[in-house]
């Protein structure tokens, strides 16, 4: 139990550091496109905001991948795709239950 807790906390810390980095990148991207944001063009504003959102979505996918790698490391899954799918379902809080981890790591 303690091992699972420590691995989980370490993984969460890594994901939070990643999100912090992406937030800084988002802010820099937004500031670099200040002229587009201040323009009267709806399209220009949407391009910048969609760029911000793409960076954040990629961050979410990276977090799912980080958790999937942990599950592979723990031997819960044999293939990355299965681990990524399980991680994504739980990350989105859907929790289908079609793929269940072993008692040792639930």
């Amino acid at each position: 139990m303690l091992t699972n807790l420590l691995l989980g906390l370490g993984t969460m810390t890594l994901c939070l550091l990643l999100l912090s980095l992406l937030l800084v990148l988002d802010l820099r991207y937004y500031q670099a496109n200040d002229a587009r944001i201040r323009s009267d063009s709806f399209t220009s504003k949407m391009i910048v905001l969609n760029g911000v959102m793409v960076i954040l979505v990629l961050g979410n996918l990276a977090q799912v991948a980080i958790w999937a790698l942990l599950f592979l490391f723990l031997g819960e899954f044999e293939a990355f795709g299965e681990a990524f799918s399980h991680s994504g379902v739980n990350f989105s809080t859907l929790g289908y239950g079609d793929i269940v981890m072993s008692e040792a790591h639930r």
Side-chain angles (χ1 to χ4, degrees):
M1 174 76 166
L2 182 60
T3 302
N4 288 341
L5 181 63
L6 292 174
L7 286 171
L9 286 173
T11 305
M12 286 184 347
T13 301
L14 178 62
C15 287
L16 288 172
L17 290 171
L18 172 66
L19 285 179
S20 297
L21 172 68
L22 292 174
L23 181 58
V24 168
L25 289 174
D26 259 346
L27 290 171
R28 286 183 179 176
Y29 172 78
Y30 191 84
Q31 288 174 338
N33 288 283
D34 185 59
R36 284 185 168 174
I37 292 295
R38 293 184 184 277
S39 77
D40 290 332
S41 170
F42 177 78
T43 304
S44 291
K45 292 176 184 179
M46 288 300 294
I47 289 170
V48 174
L49 292 177
N50 279 303
V52 168
M53 296 304 293
V54 164
I55 292 170
L56 294 176
V57 167
L58 291 174
N60 285 340
L61 291 173
Q63 287 182 83
V64 170
I66 289 168
W67 283 99
L69 289 171
L70 174 64
F71 297 150
L72 280 175
F73 172 75
L74 292 173
E76 284 296 321
F77 301 100
E78 293 180 16
F80 179 76
E82 189 178 26
F84 189 86
S85 173
H86 175 77
S87 178
V89 166
N90 285 295
F91 190 82
S92 66
T93 70
L94 292 174
Y96 292 139
D98 57 336
I99 302 172
V100 180
M101 292 187 2
S102 70
E103 289 270 337
H105 298 116
R106 271 190 214 156

